[in-house]
């Protein structure tokens, strides 16, 4: 799954699909009495599908057509086994089939419409896990984190959460089912077909993971600062004022949240560079060790407004 992004306003999208949903519902209610009616129903369904595909393409950046594939396949697993292989479809079989596909499409679109106010939250990439080095615990944490943010009376798709964050599971749908089963078995989530809500137990587990991650981050921050100070002493680049500032940063890592602490690190190192207490190379070295994902050279070249 690749990242899904919104290209147009959600209001425009909602206004575009609303009449199509109404037409699908009208078609679903209409009784099919003849082959002519059946043919007409299939043609109309296909026509509505084409309209929706155009709307989806216009509204979302979806490189793998993930949303559209979900729309087309939604609900199919509910009816596996109803049709015998090798048996020719009767007129009633064909009517049942078109009605099922229409019902599935309506359910999907209704669910999708209910999620629209929260779609930015669902699809927002959270810097919680390393996409390149993800592990199952990270993925479970991300799912509970997102569902906690979406906590209301609605149920939400875990597939969508993962797709929005660009997470591709190595074993695909099989692994996704295992992850969901693990969350359900642990009573961290509850389900409504393919949508989910976080439970009280899930909230408690999320809190435990968050505290554990904070302790881990603080420990890593302290260790990285200690390593920087050690290397600076070996290289003879350190001054007392620099070491004092680094010691202060180490203490503050236990009290500030990660975002504010990162901003403070960059701000202090930038000020030390501006004051010529350290040069740009030393500043870049320090930040690369403490905040390995930050491009401090770029920040230095552009000035403090980028901090």
């Amino acid at each position: 799954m690749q990242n899904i992004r919104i290209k147009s306003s959600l209001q425009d999208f909602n206004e575009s699909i609303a009449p199509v949903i109404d037409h699908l519902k009208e078609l679903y209610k209409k009784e099919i009495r003849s082959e002519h009616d059946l043919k007409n129903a299939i043609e109309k369904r296909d026509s509505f599908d084409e309209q929706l595909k155009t709307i989806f393409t216009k509204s979302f950046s979806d490189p793998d057509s993930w949303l559209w594939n979900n729309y087309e396949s939604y609900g199919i697993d509910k009816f596996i086994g109803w049709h015998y292989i090798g048996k020719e479809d009767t007129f009633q079989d064909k009517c049942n089939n078109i009605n099922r596909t229409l019902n599935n499409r309506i359910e999907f679109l209704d669910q999708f419409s209910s999620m629209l106010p929260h779609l930015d939250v669902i699809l927002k990439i959270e810097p919680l896990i390393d996409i390149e080095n993800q592990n199952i615990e990270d993925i479970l944490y991300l799912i509970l984190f997102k569902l906690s943010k979406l906590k209301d009376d609605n149920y939400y798709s875990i597939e969508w959460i993962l797709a929005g964050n660009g997470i591709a599971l190595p074993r695909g749908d099989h692994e996704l089912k295992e992850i969901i089963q693990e969350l359900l078995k642990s009573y961290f989530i509850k389900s409504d077909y393919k949508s989910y809500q976080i439970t009280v137990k899930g909230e408690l587990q999320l809190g435990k993971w968050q505290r554990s991650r904070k302790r881990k981050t603080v420990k890593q921050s302290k260790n990285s600062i200690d390593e920087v100070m050690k290397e600076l002493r070996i290289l003879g680049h350190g001054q007392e004022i620099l070491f004092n500032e680094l010691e202060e940063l180490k203490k503050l890592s236990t009290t500030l949240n990660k975002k504010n602490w990162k901003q403070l690190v960059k701000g202090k190192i930038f000020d030390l560079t501006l004051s010529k207490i350290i040069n740009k190379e030393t500043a870049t070295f320090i930040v690369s060790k403490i905040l390995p994902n930050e491009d401090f050279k770029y920040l230095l070249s552009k000035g403090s407004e980028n901090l």
Side-chain angles (χ1 to χ4, degrees), residues 112-271:
F112 193 29
S113 296
S114 71
M115 287 196 298
L116 282 177
H118 312 285
L119 203 58
D120 55 339
V121 176
I122 294 170
L123 298 181
K124 180 186 176 186
I125 295 179
E126 301 286 353
L128 301 174
I129 64 177
D130 182 351
I131 299 296
E132 300 300 322
N133 301 294
Q134 64 194 27
N135 57 55
I136 293 299
E137 185 176 307
D138 284 340
I139 292 171
L140 295 177
Y141 175 71
L142 173 67
I143 291 168
L144 292 186
F145 178 84
K146 284 284 195 178
L147 290 177
S148 178
K149 278 195 165 188
L150 295 162
K151 191 169 60 177
D152 54 24
D153 291 334
N154 294 319
Y155 288 71
Y156 297 94
S157 168
I158 287 175
E159 282 185 277
W160 289 46
I161 289 171
L162 298 182
N165 278 260
I167 295 174
L169 299 172
R171 292 184 288 113
D173 289 344
H174 293 295
E175 189 166 359
L176 177 63
K177 287 177 183 176
E178 288 178 17
I179 287 171
I180 291 172
Q181 283 303 313
E182 182 61 34
L183 289 167
L184 287 169
K185 187 175 70 176
S186 302
Y187 299 102
F188 294 158
I189 60 172
K190 53 186 177 180
S191 68
D192 179 14
Y193 184 43
K194 289 188 175 181
S195 299
Y196 305 89
Q197 252 185 17
I198 191 168
T199 62
V200 171
K201 192 172 181 182
E203 290 278 7
L204 291 171
Q205 182 61 43
L206 177 63
K208 289 178 184 177
W209 280 340
Q210 286 175 325
R211 289 189 291 275
S212 173
R213 282 169 171 259
K214 185 176 181 181
R215 287 193 296 270
K216 185 178 178 182
T217 300
V218 168
K219 186 177 179 181
Q220 288 173 339
S221 300
K222 286 183 175 180
N223 289 343
S224 59
I225 291 174
D226 286 338
E227 288 173 13
V228 165
M229 292 171 69
K230 182 179 178 181
E231 289 192 46
L232 287 173
R233 286 193 175 98
I234 292 171
L235 295 170
H237 292 326
Q239 298 181 33
E240 187 176 352
I241 188 170
L242 171 60
F243 290 129
N244 289 341
E245 293 287 4
L246 290 173
E247 283 289 353
E248 185 182 350
L249 286 172
K250 191 164 68 169
K251 291 176 184 176
L252 289 171
S253 68
T254 62
T255 57
L256 295 177
N257 64 43
K258 188 175 181 181
K259 182 179 178 181
N260 290 343
W261 187 77
K262 284 172 65 174
Q263 290 295 102
L264 182 64
V265 170
K266 290 186 286 184
K268 279 190 176 293
I269 301 303
F270 188 89
D271 288 343

